[in-house]
Amino acid sequence: MHIAAASTMKHFFLIIFFFCFFFFQEPQAGPIHPHQLTHPLDPLTKQEITLIRTIVLKKYPTKTYTVHFHYVGLDDPEKSQVLKWVFSGTPTPRNAFVIAMINTETHEIIINLRSSNILSDKIHNGNGFPTLTVEEQTEAIALPLSYEPFINSVKKRGLNISEVVCSSFTVGWYGETKSRSRVLRIECFMKSGSDVNIYVRPINGIIILANIDEMKIVEYNDRSMEPVPKAENTEYRASHMKPPFGPKLHSFATHQPQGPGFKIQGHTVSWANWKFHIGYDFRAGLIISTASIYDVEEELQKPRPVLYRGFISELFVPYQDPTEEWYYKTFFDAGEFGFGQSMVSLEPMHDCPPHAHFLDVYGTIMWRHTETGIPNQEIRESRSDVSLIVRMVVTVGNYDNVIDWEFKTSGSIKPAITLSGMLEIKAVEFKHKDEIKKDQHGTLVFENSIGVYHDHYYIYHLDLDVDGVDNSFLKTNLKTVKVTDKSSKRKSYWTIETETARTESEAMIRLGTSPSELAVVNQNKKTSTGNHAGYRLVPALPVHSLLTEDDYPQVRGAFTNYNVWVTPYNRTQKWAGGLYVDQSRGEDTLAVWTQQNRDIENKDIVMWYVVGIHHVPCQEDFPIMPSLSTGFELRPTNFFERNPVLKTLSPNYVEWPKCTKP
Amino acid sequence: MHIAAASTMKHFFLIIFFFCFFFFQEPQAGPIHPHQLTHPLDPLTKQEITLIRTIVLKKYPTKTYTVHFHYVGLDDPEKSQVLKWVFSGTPTPRNAFVIAMINTETHEIIINLRSSNILSDKIHNGNGFPTLTVEEQTEAIALPLSYEPFINSVKKRGLNISEVVCSSFTVGWYGETKSRSRVLRIECFMKSGSDVNIYVRPINGIIILANIDEMKIVEYNDRSMEPVPKAENTEYRASHMKPPFGPKLHSFATHQPQGPGFKIQGHTVSWANWKFHIGYDFRAGLIISTASIYDVEEELQKPRPVLYRGFISELFVPYQDPTEEWYYKTFFDAGEFGFGQSMVSLEPMHDCPPHAHFLDVYGTIMWRHTETGIPNQEIRESRSDVSLIVRMVVTVGNYDNVIDWEFKTSGSIKPAITLSGMLEIKAVEFKHKDEIKKDQHGTLVFENSIGVYHDHYYIYHLDLDVDGVDNSFLKTNLKTVKVTDKSSKRKSYWTIETETARTESEAMIRLGTSPSELAVVNQNKKTSTGNHAGYRLVPALPVHSLLTEDDYPQVRGAFTNYNVWVTPYNRTQKWAGGLYVDQSRGEDTLAVWTQQNRDIENKDIVMWYVVGIHHVPCQEDFPIMPSLSTGFELRPTNFFERNPVLKTLSPNYVEWPKCTKP
């Protein structure tokens, strides 16, 4: 969910770009200078964004036009151009892609940043609206506070208007056939004295609809009155709490005397055997690009490509309450609210391990063996696992999403998602479960407070380029073989059957229905024993959408019909829920693109993977949710000739210095 | 897999008891003294084991009898007695349970350790034999080395007998109806010079069967000759490798100036809000008992019980090659080889984080929120996650199992399994995949080397006592509701239906077939809003057996027919594969016990959970496998009134001292 209307964030041009990564790398913390451009996928610099603004406002001067920027980002070059740059330094075009509302029309503008020319300027006429800006949401949520009927509703409830805080919510699409204005629902909450946990104190029973082009309230209905839940025990800031506190955890220190194990040049990170680029996008947030791994065994002695691009394309959060005040809550956090726009800065010492080496993570085992089988020899060999984690936190209103990309020296990439933040709470009259006679569509997590059932579906765009761009998608199915003759004392065993998906329809997978291993392989690159070099998906717990396929939210979020999809590379097919998601009608989703059923065998392909969580709230999630994590692994599978970390030694351990004066 | 016949391990009485835990706690590292007995579930002390030996050998003097001890462990008191001790210090009986082969009979002997009396001495007459001892395996694997036909076979292959190392393998049961002797298969491998990775160099084509009661080879068949795979690049010890090494990882230091956050008294660990007991068993290895959590919000102000007992009851590893030399490989590592007997010591700095604070793990986020929705306020609150991990490593021959129990201040317990070690390799004539014309039941991971398909099924015994012994098992099914009238603009949503399993058959669950949440709850304990206090199972990726249910290995490992089972507490039903597993016929498994279909509603119940991995080997797994991890979570669900770590502060970070002289 959904708002993000922080009045302290004045302008979306001020891109907040805080990974754990950049905390102690001050020069890179802000926008970079043009001469620092070291990679064709570097995000736009502050100067470039200023230039774009100047170019657009020159064509559409504000004297004559109202101009609002809804998306400004890199118009990334074609992959072939980027790879030419990677391999031979050939310069690439540097273009920006802008979505701006100019008067009431949506313009798609492409600007050449080298020549400062507008290359194209098209008007979008289809359904769906661009990502909301923070400014228009900030304006919209202020509307009720000066709207007489709402002020009366607040008074009638005995509440104090000075403690009311409102939030904006996208309305979705429910089969309307006529085109509709840009509207938002506004819901309001109560602060309680200094207690800032507004989400647990909704003012229920009031429907407010605001037209954000006209910036006015166009529908208002005070339907019913429910008590606002109490503030007791809902404060989450330590500075505002009274003792007793929980168990006191012992203090600790960590240190890397040689400094952190990674190097950053521009936006390119080198660490151990990995090299990759970190980009930022207003909509996607963090983007990992051109990740390659150095293989000591490889004769060519150059990095082997693995992942051309990886990012979260969309996050779909359908709530499961069909009633008038909740049915519409089926949010698309990237397309509607901007996952990148909602990035927040990380708290050192809490969100990341402390100090300059927060990124090298130690503690587990990379591989080990104790040999007890050889007489008179005791052999024990083990290597520590050290990882590099790139982390961002995206807070879209109540929920906090911690997005990690973990790189391992073994060649694995382990993306992970950790959910925290607040539940969306529905205020009800009940104080005890026994009073509830019909489905309230959630759990009574506190008196008068229902935590409503919902899902979180994150769809990853994983453009793997395993040892080159032409790859195939392999399903290795595990099949029971029954032994019906006397050839074995066994009655059964399993073996594998490998299928290469030829077209998109053959690569639509609902995980968990039958045992299989899924991999992206390079059929042009074989190991010495003849296996295809590949990367395998080790999935998270499979979760499937429970909405019917014809339901409107499901049509819009149809990329959740399957857990895995494979498409041919297409530079513009980035957004699984479509380019224009607010009030979209599902006409531009991954599910629609794949109806072309394009060839995907031995082509440049993209794997899309949906990680889902069904969330039945429990009391522990109130008033703030303990982290719940899930994740998956992209694991090299016959990519290396042998264990690639056989000869990777454990790092040295350094003793704590004993000084008389610390 | 399966041997463990280290000739350096002279006697199984020398229990190896190395958790990371005890490394820097020297006084607790060895067996404890009787006056140190601080808990009725403390493992047997060295003195007690000596006493048991004396008592048994007094009754069965070695002049007259041959006596072999196959199991010596605590005969744990009834739970009611243990809980009386926990709550009021009432002393419990202290008995030992012994399985000994006396002459050719299997005796089950119970000894009162306080009075030194034998309380009972029964003979086991059913099918199945006790866990193998290291001594008999050590003797058996030496047999081929002086067996003339084998020496000739080795010569015929041009190999050097001085480099041959043999291993012992259990034979399973394949429908034989007559009772059979205690026999083992012996397979042999080649060391290569100083290279110790024997598992990747099997001598194929020879079947050796040894009778271990008579300690002689009873069947021998040299069927075929395959090349022994090359030693090239199979050494895994850094001390025996030549440069170039992998990327150099930066050194690091960690330190807890206040010392580690946990306290150990006897075998009881206190850390943060947790208190639990760590036991050891010859068969199970690590056992977590009487785990309770302190709830700051609870009026009673005493620890709340969570887990009475948790351990891995069995580990079933069926290989999937039906051919004469492989079909029988369907191992039960706990029952046949002793998971506890196979525990190995951990390597400091590599297997565990360094120094005294290896157990407090830092770095992730316990919960967080950034509030952007309140005008003119910027709020960012986050708490570090700190966990306590109890770790053991069990090496059964080629495979290394890293078994973790992670305790979190949020009340979660996260057991995890990490697999490393070597594949079982089948030697074949092929050097390239293209030469293979029929199913080889594995992957060609190196020339002449097939890594055979197999599974790993770990079954956890999870005796949760959520706020008391009487608990129920709840299935919360997520169901789609279709909206067919005009009551909502939605066409569908999901809601939950909760069922309480009344009997064992209602609690047999194949995960992944339909969306549900499974929990053990206390129906006698409600929160203030009326929810039942519970702990929920957040499962690993569901894996199901692919063998047919009537296949012999599946009958013996029938506990893999379902992922989840629930039984009433029964002190003696500990071993999901039966008490006597070697050559068992599946007559004493969890699947048989549950045929009674006992009541489990509002009773003292045990949840059994199977974590599985289908293993299709890949080249990266050769010659030693990079760690592959899986795990699950027992997560409090309406157990606490609210987020239990709301008031748990992050630990302090301490600066690295700057001294002139370190």
Side-chain angles (χ1 to χ4, degrees):
Chain A
M1 179 294 198
H2 319 156
I3 51 161
S7 59
T8 47
M9 242 169 118
K10 284 294 173 220
H11 207 282
F12 88 91
F13 285 158
L14 298 171
I15 288 168
I16 295 174
F17 193 175
F18 282 128
F19 310 128
C20 279
F21 223 94
F22 290 96
F23 254 122
F24 295 86
Q25 299 286 335
E26 282 302 329
Q28 278 85 20
I32 56 163
H33 295 280
H35 66 267
Q36 288 177 308
L37 283 178
T38 54
H39 194 289
L41 298 174
D42 279 353
L44 298 180
T45 63
K46 190 176 176 180
Q47 287 82 347
E48 286 174 325
I49 290 171
T50 306
L51 175 65
I52 291 160
R53 190 179 157 81
T54 307
I55 293 168
V56 172
L57 295 184
K58 196 177 156 195
K59 180 165 179 187
Y60 300 104
T62 49
K63 272 192 222 163
T64 323
Y65 301 91
T66 61
V67 180
H68 294 283
F69 292 89
H70 287 257
Y71 176 87
V72 176
L74 180 71
D75 188 47
D76 49 302
E78 281 291 341
K79 189 193 282 191
S80 56
Q81 295 174 314
V82 174
L83 294 183
K84 262 189 205 155
W85 178 89
V86 169
F87 292 118
S88 60
T90 313
T92 59
R94 180 82 180 162
N95 298 338
F97 182 63
V98 174
I99 295 177
M101 298 275 300
I102 297 174
N103 293 343
T104 56
E105 287 181 317
T106 304
H107 288 246
E108 296 175 0
I109 303 169
I110 297 174
I111 297 169
N112 181 327
L113 292 169
R114 299 208 207 280
S115 65
S116 299
N117 287 332
I118 291 178
L119 299 177
S120 72
D121 181 355
K122 287 187 219 162
I123 290 170
H124 161 68
N125 283 315
N127 291 310
F129 297 112
T131 307
L132 296 165
T133 68
V134 167
E135 295 84 344
E136 63 195 4
Q137 291 180 80
T138 306
E139 276 190 70
I141 64 177
L143 293 174
L145 304 179
S146 57
Y147 185 70
E148 205 59 38
F150 180 72
I151 294 167
N152 291 336
S153 295
V154 169
K155 232 178 251 169
K156 195 172 76 178
R157 284 166 171 79
L159 303 173
N160 185 345
I161 190 81
S162 74
E163 291 190 326
V164 174
V165 177
C166 301
S167 289
S168 51
F169 298 79
T170 48
V171 297
W173 169 66
Y174 289 88
E176 300 87 356
T177 48
K178 273 195 279 185
S179 69
R180 202 175 171 192
S181 318
R182 290 176 70 231
V183 288
L184 292 176
R185 285 249 207 165
I186 313 285
E187 297 197 2
C188 300
F189 303 88
M190 292 303 294
K191 282 203 293 180
S192 175
S194 67
D195 188 340
V196 293
N197 197 339
I198 53 171
Y199 302 104
V200 299
R201 278 186 295 284
I203 306 172
N204 245 45
I206 303 173
I207 295 174
I208 308 171
L209 196 72
N211 179 316
I212 52 171
D213 286 328
E214 299 171 9
M215 204 47 81
K216 66 175 191 191
I217 291 173
V218 291
E219 266 182 55
Y220 187 84
N221 189 359
D222 186 351
R223 301 170 70 234
S224 63
M225 269 175 36
E226 258 84 39
V228 173
K230 285 198 294 187
E232 196 188 332
N233 289 314
T234 64
E235 174 61 72
Y236 53 86
R237 291 171 300 174
S239 56
H240 287 66
M241 284 174 183
K242 283 183 194 144
F245 286 96
K248 188 77 197 96
L249 300 167
H250 281 199
S251 55
F252 74 108
T254 60
H255 185 59
Q256 280 188 281
Q258 296 159 279
F262 56 91
K263 276 189 201 133
I264 304 179
Q265 285 190 296
H267 287 77
T268 300
V269 179
S270 307
W271 173 80
N273 42 359
W274 281 102
K275 192 175 178 184
F276 56 88
H277 179 267
I278 296 187
Y280 163 83
D281 180 77
F282 172 78
R283 193 159 157 172
L286 177 63
I287 298 179
I288 304 290
S289 301
T290 58
S292 61
I293 192 162
Y294 186 79
D295 180 356
V296 274
E297 304 277 344
E298 184 80 355
E299 280 168 32
L300 293 170
Q301 299 288 308
K302 61 178 189 182
R304 299 175 63 189
V306 173
L307 181 72
Y308 178 70
R309 253 188 161 188
F311 60 91
I312 294 180
S313 169
E314 190 53 274
L315 165 53
F316 177 37
V317 187
Y319 281 77
Q320 302 299 337
D321 185 333
T323 61
E324 186 57 26
E325 283 170 21
W326 280 77
Y327 77 88
Y328 73 91
K329 294 193 172 187
T330 53
F331 304 114
F332 291 83
D333 281 358
E336 293 175 344
F337 297 95
F339 218 52
Q341 177 175 232
S342 308
M343 277 168 71
V344 295
S345 65
L346 297 169
E347 188 78 358
M349 312 298 156
H350 299 302
D351 284 337
C352 304
H355 249 216
H357 54 108
F358 38 78
L359 274 175
D360 299 69
V361 176
Y362 299 87
T364 52
I365 300 172
M366 186 158 74
W367 57 260
R368 78 171 318 286
H369 182 62
T370 298
E371 185 50 68
T372 56
I374 302 174
N376 307 315
Q377 276 194 280
E378 256 197 77
I379 297 155
R380 200 166 63 218
E381 191 84 10
S382 180
R383 299 282 198 279
S384 303
D385 206 1
V386 182
S387 295
L388 179 78
I389 296 176
V390 182
R391 172 170 294 174
M392 73 163 170
V393 175
V394 178
T395 301
V396 190
N398 52 336
Y399 265 108
D400 295 64
N401 305 272
V402 183
I403 309 297
D404 285 349
W405 289 79
E406 180 178 1
F407 291 85
K408 296 174 90 78
T409 53
S410 63
S412 281
I413 303 175
K414 293 181 88 165
I417 294 163
T418 298
L419 260 182
S420 187
M422 282 76 173
L423 294 170
E424 288 216 9
I425 294 293
K426 176 167 77 169
V428 291
E429 61 193 296
F430 316 112
K431 287 181 191 286
H432 194 279
K433 205 178 167 183
D434 292 349
E435 301 162 31
I436 300 177
K437 302 299 169 203
K438 55 175 254 202
D439 194 351
Q440 290 298 317
H441 313 292
T443 308
L444 192 67
V445 292
F446 185 56
E447 54 183 63
N448 307 122
S449 307
I450 293 280
V452 175
Y453 308 139
H454 60 282
D455 308 298
H456 303 259
Y457 298 107
Y458 301 80
I459 183 161
Y460 281 82
H461 171 106
L462 299 166
D463 183 353
L464 288 155
D465 278 2
V466 177
D467 258 335
V469 294
D470 288 340
N471 286 181
S472 298
F473 180 69
L474 243 68
K475 291 183 280 182
T476 299
N477 301 313
L478 280 61
K479 298 271 185 193
T480 299
V481 180
K482 291 186 188 179
V483 182
T484 50
D485 56 17
K486 297 279 169 208
S487 65
S488 173
K489 290 188 178 171
R490 290 272 280 269
K491 295 185 181 180
S492 64
Y493 61 94
W494 62 257
T495 191
I496 61 167
E497 279 176 15
T498 300
E499 293 171 51
T500 305
R502 288 162 299 181
T503 62
E504 290 175 294
S505 66
E506 293 183 359
M508 297 172 183
I509 312 275
R510 279 176 69 90
L511 288 168
T513 52
S514 61
S516 64
E517 295 201 344
L518 305 177
V520 172
V521 304
N522 188 327
Q523 293 187 316
N524 315 303
K525 177 80 192 276
K526 285 186 181 178
T527 62
S528 61
T529 52
N531 295 303
H532 294 304
Y535 259 75
R536 177 162 83 87
L537 172 71
V538 183
L541 198 63
V543 168
H544 308 117
S545 176
L546 290 167
L547 299 179
T548 58
E549 277 204 22
D550 66 341
D551 199 1
Y552 304 109
Q554 189 61 32
V555 170
R556 300 176 66 219
F559 55 82
T560 61
N561 291 350
Y562 297 93
N563 301 96
V564 178
W565 310 70
V566 177
T567 58
Y569 167 80
N570 177 323
R571 192 178 66 89
T572 63
Q573 290 181 347
K574 289 184 193 173
W575 312 111
L579 182 58
Y580 296 98
V581 181
D582 180 28
Q583 297 187 38
S584 69
R585 299 181 180 186
E587 298 147 319
D588 178 30
T589 71
L590 176 57
V592 171
W593 311 336
T594 53
Q595 284 173 8
Q596 297 170 70
N597 205 17
R598 294 164 287 189
D599 286 343
I600 55 168
E601 189 173 357
N602 207 12
K603 298 259 187 254
D604 186 2
I605 56 175
V606 176
M607 179 165 71
W608 304 77
Y609 173 54
V610 178
V611 178
I613 297 170
H614 294 307
H615 193 167
V616 177
C618 61
Q619 289 186 236
E620 284 79 1
D621 298 343
F622 182 91
I624 191 163
M625 186 182 159
S627 296
L628 182 69
S629 297
T630 185
F632 62 99
E633 183 172 357
L634 298 169
R635 192 172 168 97
T637 299
N638 302 319
F639 180 81
F640 295 105
E641 283 290 334
R642 65 187 63 82
N643 178 334
V645 283
L646 195 61
K647 293 174 86 172
T648 298
L649 304 179
S650 298
N652 293 325
Y653 176 70
V654 182
E655 289 288 333
W656 182 257
K658 287 184 183 68
C659 357
T660 38
K661 285 180 195 166
Chain B
M1 175 301 198
H2 318 131
I3 50 158
S7 60
T8 47
M9 242 171 117
K10 284 294 175 218
H11 208 282
F12 88 92
F13 285 159
L14 298 171
I15 289 168
I16 296 174
F17 193 175
F18 284 128
F19 309 128
C20 277
F21 220 90
F22 289 98
F23 253 122
F24 295 86
Q25 299 285 334
E26 281 301 329
Q28 278 86 22
I32 56 164
H33 295 280
H35 68 266
Q36 287 177 309
L37 282 178
T38 55
H39 194 290
L41 298 175
D42 279 354
L44 297 179
T45 64
K46 190 176 177 181
Q47 288 82 350
E48 286 174 326
I49 290 170
T50 306
L51 176 65
I52 291 159
R53 190 178 156 83
T54 308
I55 293 167
V56 172
L57 295 184
K58 194 174 157 197
K59 181 166 178 188
Y60 299 106
T62 49
K63 272 192 223 165
T64 324
Y65 300 91
T66 61
V67 180
H68 294 284
F69 293 88
H70 288 257
Y71 177 87
V72 176
L74 180 72
D75 189 47
D76 49 300
E78 282 291 340
K79 189 192 282 190
S80 56
Q81 295 174 313
V82 174
L83 294 183
K84 261 188 204 154
W85 178 89
V86 169
F87 293 118
S88 59
T90 313
T92 59
R94 180 81 179 163
N95 299 337
F97 181 63
V98 175
I99 296 177
M101 299 277 298
I102 297 174
N103 295 341
T104 57
E105 287 181 318
T106 304
H107 288 246
E108 297 175 359
I109 303 169
I110 296 174
I111 297 169
N112 181 328
L113 292 169
R114 298 208 207 282
S115 66
S116 300
N117 287 332
I118 290 179
L119 298 177
S120 72
D121 181 354
K122 286 186 219 162
I123 291 169
H124 162 67
N125 282 315
N127 290 310
F129 298 112
T131 307
L132 296 164
T133 68
V134 167
E135 295 84 342
E136 64 195 4
Q137 291 180 82
T138 306
E139 276 191 70
I141 64 177
L143 293 174
L145 304 179
S146 57
Y147 185 71
E148 205 59 38
F150 180 73
I151 294 167
N152 292 336
S153 296
V154 169
K155 232 178 253 171
K156 195 173 73 178
R157 285 167 171 78
L159 303 172
N160 185 345
I161 190 82
S162 73
E163 291 191 324
V164 173
V165 178
C166 301
S167 288
S168 51
F169 297 79
T170 48
V171 297
W173 170 68
Y174 289 88
E176 301 85 356
T177 48
K178 273 195 280 184
S179 68
R180 203 175 171 191
S181 316
R182 291 176 68 231
V183 288
L184 291 176
R185 284 248 207 165
I186 314 284
E187 296 196 2
C188 300
F189 305 87
M190 292 305 292
K191 281 203 293 180
S192 174
S194 68
D195 187 339
V196 293
N197 197 340
I198 53 172
Y199 303 105
V200 299
R201 278 186 295 284
I203 305 172
N204 245 42
I206 303 172
I207 294 174
I208 308 170
L209 196 71
N211 179 316
I212 52 171
D213 286 330
E214 299 172 7
M215 204 46 80
K216 66 175 188 189
I217 291 173
V218 291
E219 267 183 54
Y220 186 84
N221 189 358
D222 187 349
R223 300 171 69 233
S224 64
M225 268 175 38
E226 259 85 38
V228 173
K230 286 198 294 187
E232 196 190 331
N233 287 315
T234 65
E235 175 61 73
Y236 53 87
R237 290 170 302 174
S239 56
H240 288 65
M241 284 173 184
K242 282 183 194 139
F245 287 96
K248 188 76 197 96
L249 300 167
H250 281 198
S251 56
F252 73 109
T254 60
H255 185 59
Q256 281 188 279
Q258 297 159 280
F262 56 90
K263 276 187 201 138
I264 304 178
Q265 285 190 298
H267 288 78
T268 300
V269 180
S270 307
W271 173 79
N273 42 359
W274 281 102
K275 191 175 180 183
F276 56 89
H277 179 267
I278 295 186
Y280 163 82
D281 180 76
F282 172 78
R283 192 159 159 173
L286 176 64
I287 298 178
I288 304 290
S289 301
T290 57
S292 61
I293 192 163
Y294 186 81
D295 180 355
V296 273
E297 304 277 346
E298 183 79 356
E299 280 168 32
L300 292 171
Q301 299 289 307
K302 61 179 188 181
R304 298 174 64 187
V306 173
L307 181 72
Y308 178 69
R309 248 181 168 195
F311 60 92
I312 293 179
S313 170
E314 190 53 272
L315 166 53
F316 177 37
V317 187
Y319 281 78
Q320 302 299 337
D321 185 334
T323 60
E324 186 56 26
E325 282 169 21
W326 278 78
Y327 77 88
Y328 72 89
K329 294 195 172 186
T330 53
F331 304 113
F332 291 83
D333 281 358
E336 292 175 345
F337 297 94
F339 217 54
Q341 178 175 233
S342 308
M343 277 168 71
V344 295
S345 66
L346 298 169
E347 187 78 358
M349 313 297 155
H350 299 301
D351 283 339
C352 305
H355 248 215
H357 54 108
F358 38 80
L359 274 173
D360 300 68
V361 177
Y362 300 88
T364 52
I365 299 172
M366 186 158 73
W367 58 259
R368 78 170 320 284
H369 183 60
T370 299
E371 184 51 66
T372 56
I374 302 174
N376 309 315
Q377 275 195 282
E378 256 197 76
I379 296 156
R380 199 167 63 218
E381 191 84 9
S382 179
R383 299 280 199 282
S384 304
D385 207 2
V386 182
S387 295
L388 179 77
I389 296 176
V390 182
R391 171 170 295 172
M392 73 163 169
V393 174
V394 178
T395 302
V396 191
N398 52 335
Y399 265 110
D400 295 65
N401 306 271
V402 183
I403 308 296
D404 286 348
W405 290 80
E406 179 179 359
F407 290 85
K408 296 176 90 78
T409 53
S410 62
S412 281
I413 303 175
K414 292 182 91 164
I417 295 162
T418 299
L419 260 182
S420 188
M422 282 78 173
L423 294 171
E424 289 216 9
I425 294 293
K426 177 167 74 167
V428 291
E429 60 192 298
F430 316 111
K431 287 181 192 287
H432 194 279
K433 207 177 165 183
D434 293 349
E435 301 162 31
I436 300 177
K437 301 299 167 201
K438 56 175 256 202
D439 194 351
Q440 291 298 318
H441 312 292
T443 309
L444 192 67
V445 293
F446 185 55
E447 54 183 62
N448 307 122
S449 307
I450 292 280
V452 176
Y453 307 140
H454 59 282
D455 308 297
H456 303 260
Y457 298 107
Y458 302 81
I459 182 161
Y460 282 82
H461 171 107
L462 299 166
D463 183 354
L464 287 155
D465 278 1
V466 177
D467 257 337
V469 294
D470 288 341
N471 285 181
S472 297
F473 181 67
L474 243 68
K475 292 183 278 183
T476 299
N477 300 313
L478 278 61
K479 298 273 184 193
T480 299
V481 180
K482 291 186 186 177
V483 181
T484 50
D485 56 18
K486 297 279 170 207
S487 65
S488 173
K489 290 187 178 170
R490 291 272 279 269
K491 294 184 181 180
S492 64
Y493 61 93
W494 61 257
T495 192
I496 61 167
E497 279 176 16
T498 299
E499 293 172 50
T500 305
R502 287 162 302 180
T503 62
E504 289 173 296
S505 66
E506 293 182 359
M508 296 171 184
I509 313 274
R510 278 177 71 89
L511 287 168
T513 52
S514 60
S516 62
E517 295 200 344
L518 305 176
V520 171
V521 304
N522 188 327
Q523 293 189 314
N524 315 303
K525 176 79 191 279
K526 285 186 182 181
T527 62
S528 62
T529 52
N531 295 303
H532 294 304
Y535 259 74
R536 176 162 85 86
L537 172 71
V538 183
L541 199 62
V543 169
H544 308 117
S545 177
L546 290 167
L547 299 180
T548 59
E549 276 205 23
D550 67 341
D551 199 2
Y552 304 109
Q554 189 61 32
V555 170
R556 300 175 66 219
F559 56 82
T560 60
N561 291 349
Y562 296 93
N563 301 96
V564 179
W565 310 69
V566 177
T567 59
Y569 168 80
N570 178 323
R571 191 177 67 89
T572 64
Q573 289 180 347
K574 287 184 194 172
W575 312 111
L579 182 59
Y580 297 98
V581 181
D582 180 28
Q583 296 188 39
S584 68
R585 299 183 180 186
E587 297 148 318
D588 178 31
T589 70
L590 176 57
V592 171
W593 312 335
T594 52
Q595 283 173 8
Q596 296 170 71
N597 204 17
R598 293 164 288 188
D599 287 343
I600 55 168
E601 189 174 357
N602 207 10
K603 299 259 188 254
D604 187 1
I605 56 175
V606 176
M607 178 164 70
W608 304 78
Y609 173 54
V610 178
V611 177
I613 298 171
H614 295 307
H615 194 167
V616 178
C618 61
Q619 288 185 234
E620 283 80 0
D621 298 343
F622 181 91
I624 190 162
M625 185 185 160
S627 296
L628 182 69
S629 297
T630 184
F632 62 100
E633 182 172 357
L634 299 169
R635 191 172 168 98
T637 299
N638 302 318
F639 180 81
F640 294 106
E641 283 290 333
R642 65 187 63 80
N643 178 334
V645 283
L646 195 61
K647 294 174 85 171
T648 298
L649 304 180
S650 297
N652 292 325
Y653 176 70
V654 181
E655 288 288 334
W656 187 257
K658 287 184 183 65
C659 6
T660 38
K661 287 179 197 171

